[in-house]
Amino acid sequence: MIQVISVPAFTDNYIWLITNEQRQFAAVVDPGDAQPVIEELQRRNMSPVAILITHHHRDHTGGIEKLLEAYPGLPVYGPASEYIAHMTRALGEGQQVVLEELGLSFTVMDVPGHTAGHIAYYGEDSLFCGDTLFGCGCGRVFDGTLGDLHQSLQRIAQLPAETLVYCTHEYTVDNIGFAKWVEPDNAALAVRLQSCWELLDSGRATVPFTLGDEFDTNPFLRTHIPEVIVKAEEIAGRETHTPADIFAVLRIWKDTEYD
């Protein structure tokens, strides 16, 4: 059975250690910084078996080299269409990552948008999605496109509602603030905000969360909801004709007015 350990890094990043009930081995997801990972592995007397990368940004890849110095020979998985230093196994849509020591496997999903080659790892009712989907939000568009990101989020939305989402930043409370701009009368946002503050006040993360939480509160997955459509048209000053159009209006609005 999968177990996941969070390793905080920088100001708001999470590096994930995928392990199992025995907790002898772990796969490391998006290690932007090696030191906290090494310290956590040593503290728990665990050995890493792989590094899984979702995209090329430095806060997700910066620790690879030092991890390989500490643990030579680790396979480094990552997106085939992006350059990742030290990557040994390039991955694309539908490929499998089998972690034999853990008895776990994951399917690769192409989820471009935040970056052009972004991938995610899905399996064991869990999604490791990097910076594509956040709690109550989504990533900015860098070298991908708004259309790509919308399509990627729609693909993620087809996964089961009970899927646990492991994104890599603690952005949920801030994102709820924007979601309230979009849907001020959505009662689920107030409930989620209270839950998030209770978690944070007790020293816990708001991540992971279920995909079902996102269906109720994330405006970027609610582009079919009448209230969201009305708000997008109000902001755009025109009619919106497709969910992708509504998504683009919201993402640009957040980029220019909220962040």
Side-chain angles (χ1 to χ4, degrees):
M1 182 180 295
I2 187 173
Q3 296 193 4
V4 183
I5 298 166
S6 66
V7 180
F10 310 121
T11 57
D12 54 37
N13 279 66
Y14 293 121
I15 301 166
W16 301 109
L17 302 182
I18 301 174
T19 184
N20 58 17
E21 291 173 317
Q22 286 71 44
R23 297 202 175 196
Q24 293 177 292
F25 303 102
V28 184
V29 182
D30 283 347
D33 188 1
Q35 193 57 39
V37 174
I38 292 170
E39 290 175 359
E40 190 70 15
L41 290 169
Q42 291 177 342
R43 186 176 72 83
R44 294 177 179 271
N45 196 28
M46 296 169 63
S47 299
V49 296
I51 296 173
L52 310 183
I53 301 297
T54 61
H55 65 290
H56 65 82
H57 286 165
R58 183 70 178 170
D59 64 323
H60 295 252
T61 64
I64 295 175
E65 185 172 359
K66 287 187 177 180
L67 278 172
L68 293 176
E69 290 174 0
Y71 302 99
L74 279 180
V76 179
Y77 296 85
S81 60
E82 295 190 357
Y83 172 73
I84 310 291
H86 308 292
M87 183 168 65
T88 59
R89 304 190 187 183
L91 300 171
E93 175 68 29
Q95 289 186 275
Q96 298 289 311
V97 175
V98 179
L99 304 171
E100 293 182 357
E101 297 90 342
L102 299 172
L104 304 173
S105 64
F106 297 87
T107 300
V108 174
M109 297 175 63
D110 285 341
V111 287
H114 178 68
T115 66
H118 202 301
I119 63 174
Y121 301 87
Y122 173 67
E124 312 295 333
D125 298 319
S126 302
L127 179 71
F128 297 87
C129 61
D131 288 354
T132 299
L133 175 68
F134 293 129
C136 223
C138 66
R140 285 177 174 266
V141 171
F142 285 89
D143 51 295
T145 70
L146 287 167
D148 286 342
L149 184 55
H150 174 254
Q151 187 173 33
S152 295
L153 291 173
Q154 291 302 300
R155 287 199 63 208
I156 289 173
Q158 300 307 307
L159 298 175
E162 63 269 19
T163 301
L164 284 175
V165 179
Y166 293 88
C167 64
T168 46
H169 288 280
E170 183 57 76
Y171 289 164
T172 313
V173 166
D174 188 63
N175 285 339
I176 290 172
F178 176 74
K180 285 185 170 183
W181 282 16
V182 180
E183 290 188 272
D185 297 324
N186 183 348
L189 288 168
V191 173
R192 189 167 186 188
L193 181 61
Q194 178 63 32
S195 175
C196 286
W197 279 124
E198 289 174 359
L199 288 168
L200 293 171
D201 288 346
S202 65
R204 293 177 290 170
T206 68
V207 186
F209 45 84
T210 69
L211 196 53
D213 291 335
E214 300 309 295
F215 297 152
D216 293 335
T217 58
N218 190 326
F220 298 107
L221 293 182
R222 292 171 59 80
T223 54
H224 59 293
I225 300 296
E227 290 80 2
V228 176
I229 296 169
V230 168
K231 177 58 70 171
E233 292 181 343
E234 175 188 324
I235 296 305
R238 58 175 174 80
E239 290 186 358
T240 54
H241 300 288
T242 66
D245 189 14
I246 295 162
F247 171 83
V249 169
L250 296 179
R251 183 65 258 186
I252 292 169
W253 184 32
K254 188 172 192 295
D255 290 343
T256 56
E257 299 294 334
Y258 188 82
D259 286 349

